[in-house]
Amino acid sequence: MGKSKRNSPKPGGNRAQRLAERKAALEQAAQSVTRPFEGLAAECDLVALREFVPSATAELKLSSSVAAERPVVLATVLPGAVAALVRAGDEPSGYVGAQMQFQGADPGADLAAAILWTQSAEPGDSLASVESVAGGPRLADVIDAGADLDLTVHQDFDWWVPEGVQPDAQVAATIEQAKQAIMPSARIALGADAVGAAWWVDAGDKAHIRWVRPENEDDLMLALARVHASGGLQLGEGSRFAGSFRTHGVLVPVFDLDPERHAEEWTKPAQEFGARLAEALATDAPLTADERRSRDGLRSRQVTLR
């Protein structure tokens, strides 16, 4: 009589370990928030700061429900990629990092926890990581949900050191190393009625515009397909549509650009493309055969970051 097959993995075996890792990954995915910054006026810029903007800062407008003890600055990344720190001085100020070394399942709630930490921490303290608590404050509870970010884009990391302070040799070397690796970036000024956040970056051999959009992904994809089928999915001469990626529940179209042109030169072409896309978004007619082919081609070029 043959041996019966095992219905459960041997404890401590490779299969048991793989199943345990898969279970843990599924549990983490189930806890992850698909669109952590949804409902915030600054959603698109928050996504950009977290995912690809090298160096930028913005003072946050805190919610009236927060007993604010000191101002808080949102930064792309802080020294050591810590979650937060409190800068000493006559008037201490808090700093929170969008790009943290340790990422949680809900980036919005993690940012909220970091902001609240800065209000009671001692000047000079830093917070290496933060883990938001289920049911704890959301980012919309801590900052003004209707406020845009008044951003300052930096081409270096000199702001890591307070004005008038001389950094020690190690800190100065770290800043210089980070400065050498930074890619020149700019936020494209699209006007008061613009939708989303368009960010330009000079990557060396080519430049890019990554345009974070807040629309429903399916609606945006249909609109992009309509624009593509009509020949309008570009920013004019020296540009081409490179594809799109999904991140934090939104879609980000990407354009490759001529690196010899300055960021400001793409403002008008981007505004014109925005108008074409808005018109396509407002159209509810069924897709034509050409538009369906465009949609299928665009979907095949999507990448999911997280």
Side-chain angles (χ1 to χ4, degrees), residues 184-218:
S185 300
R187 192 183 190 281
I188 301 297
L190 299 174
D193 297 328
V195 176
W199 284 84
W200 171 91
V201 62
D202 181 357
D205 57 338
K206 64 179 65 175
H208 311 283
I209 281 181
R210 303 180 181 105
W211 197 330
V212 187
R213 303 288 305 195
E215 294 91 357
N216 171 274
E217 181 183 329
D218 290 336

Side-chain angles (χ1 to χ4, degrees), residues 36-37 42-54 56 74-77 97-111 130 149 199 212 247-248 305-306:
F37 307 119
E43 177 185 21
C44 294
D45 277 317
L46 286 167
V47 170
L49 294 180
R50 183 172 169 82
E51 289 303 319
F52 53 78
V53 177
L74 173 67
T76 46
V77 63
Q99 301 168 25
M100 304 177 190
Q101 183 175 1
F102 302 102
Q103 313 287 353
D106 184 348
D110 287 350
L111 266 179
V130 61
L149 296 180
W199 284 84
V212 187
T247 184
H248 298 310
L305 295 187
R306 66 182 77 201

Side-chain angles (χ1 to χ4, degrees), residues 220-234 241 273 276-277 280 283 285-298 301:
L220 181 58
M221 183 54 61
L222 293 182
L224 289 171
R226 295 183 196 276
V227 176
H228 180 269
S230 66
L233 192 53
Q234 35 74 24
F241 180 71
F273 169 75
R276 293 195 296 274
L277 187 59
T283 303
L287 294 181
T288 65
D290 286 344
E291 289 169 347
R292 287 195 298 272
R293 283 192 291 271
S294 291
R295 176 200 59 194
D296 295 342
L298 294 176
R301 295 158 68 184

Side-chain angles (χ1 to χ4, degrees), residues 80-85 97 100-104 110-111 113-114 117 126-132:
V82 298
L85 57 84
M100 304 177 190
Q101 183 175 1
F102 302 102
Q103 313 287 353
D110 287 350
L111 266 179
W117 175 87
S126 64
L127 180 66
S129 64
V130 61
E131 185 174 348
S132 55

Side-chain angles (χ1 to χ4, degrees), residues 15 30 35 82 85 119 145 155 165 177 199 213 221 237 240 244 251 257:
R15 180 166 173 251
R35 193 167 174 174
V82 298
L85 57 84
Q119 299 305 294
Q155 306 306 329
V165 174
Q177 184 179 14
W199 284 84
R213 303 288 305 195
M221 183 54 61
E237 184 180 354
R240 74 174 186 90
S244 59
L251 196 62
L257 310 172

Side-chain angles (χ1 to χ4, degrees), residues 145-156:
D148 291 316
L149 296 180
D150 184 9
L151 285 154
T152 300
V153 182
H154 307 273
Q155 306 306 329
D156 53 41

Side-chain angles (χ1 to χ4, degrees), residues 158 160-162 164-173 175:
D158 289 345
W160 277 358
V161 178
V165 174
Q166 184 67 33
D168 61 34
Q170 183 176 356
V171 172
I175 293 175

